[in-house]
Amino acid sequence: MSTNRIEQQNRLTIYLNSKTQKETEEESLQQPTNGQELKLTNFGRTKLFFRKYFLQGQLYSNEVCSHDDEEEVLEDVFNRYRKYIGFLLPCLFMQIMWWTLAFRYNFFRLFPTHYELPLTMVVGATVAGMTSEGGGAVAFPVMTLLLHIETEVARDFSLMVQSCGMTSAAFTILWMRIKLEWHAIILCTIGSTAGIIFGLEWVDYLLTGSEKKMLFVSIWFSFAISLYVLNTQKKRRTHSGIVKFNWWKALILFVAGFIGGLCSAFAGSGVDICAFSVLTLLFRLSEKVATPTSVVLMAANTCVGFFWRHLIMSEVSTLAWNYFTCSVPVVVLFAPLGSLLASHFHRLVLATFVYVLEGLALLGFLATGPEWRLIGIGIVLAIG
C-alpha cells in the first residue's frame, strides 16, 4: 500500500474519531450526569441549537472511485472543497456569459425601470436552491399580487429565470453528489414535459388571471399545511429512497409530474411541489433527499417550458425578456448559494421557509380583494 493511501486512511480515521467524539459530547450535554441534571449555559444551548438546525449536513450518494497514486492529491482537494467548487462553477460560467452580453448590448439601461424583480429574486433564488419551491413561487405572487403584472408575463418570467437559476442549483447538487431519487427524476420529468406542453397549448387559455392567482395560492398553501402536519408527527420514519419500487409507484410519479407540469403552465412552477409532496407524504422520503430531487426536476421542467414558449409558441413578451435580462446575474448567484446553505440546514428549518412564504402569498392574495367565489374554491382546494 502506498504512503499516500496510508495517510488518507489515517486522516479518515482521525475525522471519524473526532466526529464520534463530537456526537458523544452532544449526547452528554443533553443527558443527566450521575443522576443529576446538567445545567447548560446560554452559550451552550445556543451552540447546540445551531449545530442541530443549521449544521446538520446533507445526505450524499455512496460513490467510490479508484484512482492511481498520482491522482490522489487532486482527488483529495476536490473532495475537501467539493461544495464550494460546485457553487462557484455554474455561478462563474453564467456570470461571464451575462457580463459579456451586458457590455455588448448595454443591459444596464434596463435596471432603472426593471429593478423590482432582481431585488425580489435575491430571496426567490435563494429559496429556490434551499427548498422544494422554485423561484417562481416567489416571483409569481410578487409580480401578480404586488406589482399587478399580467399572469402570462409572470409565468413566462418565472420559467425563463428558473431555467438559469434552477439549472445552476441543479449543477451544484449533482456536483456535490447529493443523494437523489432517480426514479422520481426520470418519471416525473417525462410526465411534467407532457403536462406543461398540454397546459401551455390548451389549459392556460381556459383560466382567467384571477383564477390563476387563486389556484396558485390555494395549491401551494395546501402543500404548506400538509408539510406542517407531516412534521408534527413525532419520530417519523423516513427513507433515503423509494422502498420496493414497482409499476404503480412509477405510475404515481408520472401522474404527479403531469399535474405539476400543468401547474407550471399557468404559474411558472409546480412540478417541484407535486413531486416533493408525493415523495414525502406518500413514499416517506426524507426532506434532505426530496428537496434536491425537486430542484433537479424543476430545472428540467423550466427549460422545457422556456423552450416551448419562446421557440414553438413565440409569445414571450418584451417585458418578460427585460425582467429576465436584469435578473439573471442575481439568480445564478443565489440559487447555487441556496443549495449550498441547504446542505447544512435541518429539514425543519427548510420547512419553516415554506410556511412563511405560503402564508405571505395567501395574505397577498386576500389583500387584492378577490371574489367570494374564488375564496370559497380556494378554501376547498387548500383543505381538500
Side-chain angles (χ1 to χ4, degrees):
M1 183 179 293
S2 65
T3 304
N4 290 334
R5 182 72 67 180
I6 295 174
E7 291 178 356
Q8 277 192 333
Q9 290 185 350
N10 291 336
R11 287 198 298 269
L12 179 60
T13 302
I14 294 173
Y15 169 76
L16 293 176
N17 290 337
S18 63
K19 186 175 182 180
T20 303
Q21 182 179 1
K22 184 184 296 184
E23 293 175 351
T24 304
E25 291 175 356
E26 291 181 5
E27 293 178 357
S28 64
L29 289 175
Q30 296 175 358
Q31 297 178 356
T33 304
N34 297 328
Q36 297 180 353
E37 185 177 357
L38 183 64
K39 295 183 179 180
L40 291 177
T41 63
N42 291 333
F43 175 77
R45 293 191 186 94
T46 304
K47 183 178 180 180
L48 286 177
F49 176 83
F50 276 94
R51 182 178 294 175
K52 177 179 179 180
Y53 289 101
F54 297 97
L55 294 173
Q56 185 188 44
Q58 179 68 51
L59 295 177
Y60 296 93
S61 59
N62 297 321
E63 297 182 7
V64 179
C65 300
S66 59
H67 296 271
D68 297 331
D69 292 343
E70 58 270 15
E71 297 178 350
E72 291 179 356
V73 175
L74 182 60
E75 178 191 4
D76 185 58
V77 172
F78 271 113
N79 289 334
R80 182 176 301 179
Y81 301 104
R82 178 175 296 276
K83 289 184 178 181
Y84 308 103
I85 296 174
F87 162 69
L88 288 174
L89 282 179
C91 180
L92 289 176
F93 174 78
M94 292 288 190
Q95 292 289 351
I96 291 173
M97 295 292 292
W98 186 88
W99 285 96
T100 302
L101 295 173
F103 282 107
R104 173 64 179 83
Y105 297 103
N106 190 22
F107 291 163
F108 309 105
R109 58 185 169 80
L110 299 174
F111 281 91
T113 55
H114 298 81
Y115 63 89
E116 305 96 334
L117 266 299
L119 293 177
T120 301
M121 293 312 296
V122 171
V123 177
T126 305
V127 170
M130 291 178 61
T131 70
S132 57
E133 294 196 348
V138 176
F140 188 86
V142 169
M143 296 180 74
T144 57
L145 302 177
L146 186 61
L147 301 179
H148 305 289
I149 296 174
E150 294 181 358
T151 54
E152 290 79 9
V153 177
R155 182 268 320 279
D156 290 342
F157 169 79
S158 298
L159 292 174
M160 295 162 69
V161 78
Q162 288 177 111
S163 68
C164 294
M166 297 295 276
T167 51
S168 298
F171 177 89
T172 300
I173 290 169
L174 294 171
W175 177 271
M176 291 167 59
R177 297 179 184 174
I178 290 176
K179 181 71 175 178
L180 299 170
E181 174 45 64
W182 284 100
H183 294 105
I185 290 176
I186 295 173
L187 292 168
C188 286
T189 297
I190 296 173
S192 64
T193 299
I196 194 171
I197 294 174
F198 179 78
L200 289 173
E201 290 287 354
W202 291 285
V203 178
D204 182 57
Y205 300 102
L206 302 177
L207 301 172
T208 65
S210 298
E211 290 171 344
K212 293 176 183 178
K213 297 175 187 177
M214 178 273 297
L215 287 172
F216 175 89
V217 171
S218 58
I219 293 173
W220 268 247
F221 192 74
S222 174
F223 163 73
I225 294 175
S226 301
L227 185 61
Y228 176 77
V229 172
L230 184 69
N231 285 322
T232 56
Q233 300 177 7
K234 301 298 182 181
K235 297 181 179 180
R236 177 172 62 94
R237 183 180 179 183
T238 60
H239 308 284
S240 60
I242 298 177
V243 180
K244 297 180 180 179
F245 185 80
N246 52 36
W247 68 268
W248 67 265
K249 293 181 179 180
L251 180 61
I252 289 176
L253 291 175
F254 176 83
V255 173
F258 184 84
I259 295 174
L262 288 177
C263 294
S264 298
F266 68 81
S269 61
V271 67
D272 45 358
I273 292 295
C274 290
F276 184 89
S277 300
V278 170
L279 291 175
T280 55
L281 301 177
L282 181 60
F283 298 132
R284 299 292 180 177
L285 256 68
S286 169
E287 290 92 329
K288 302 292 286 185
V289 178
T291 296
T293 299
S294 67
V295 171
V296 175
L297 278 171
M298 196 63 216
N301 195 232
T302 54
C303 290
V304 173
F306 187 13
F307 166 82
W308 201 265
R309 282 291 295 168
H310 178 52
L311 297 179
I312 304 300
M313 303 179 73
S314 301
E315 295 180 359
V316 178
S317 67
T318 302
L319 182 59
W321 273 111
N322 290 341
Y323 276 128
F324 168 71
T325 301
C326 295
S327 301
V328 167
V330 175
V331 299
V332 299
L333 171 63
F334 285 95
L337 179 62
S339 296
L340 180 63
L341 293 175
S343 67
H344 296 284
F345 287 179
H346 192 277
R347 62 181 180 84
L348 294 180
V349 176
L350 302 179
T352 302
F353 281 109
V354 176
Y355 306 151
V356 173
L357 286 174
E358 302 317 326
L360 292 175
L362 176 62
L363 293 176
F365 174 68
L366 295 176
T368 61
E371 300 177 6
W372 284 104
R373 174 181 63 88
L374 295 178
I375 295 178
I377 296 174
I379 292 175
V380 172
L381 291 175
I383 65 177

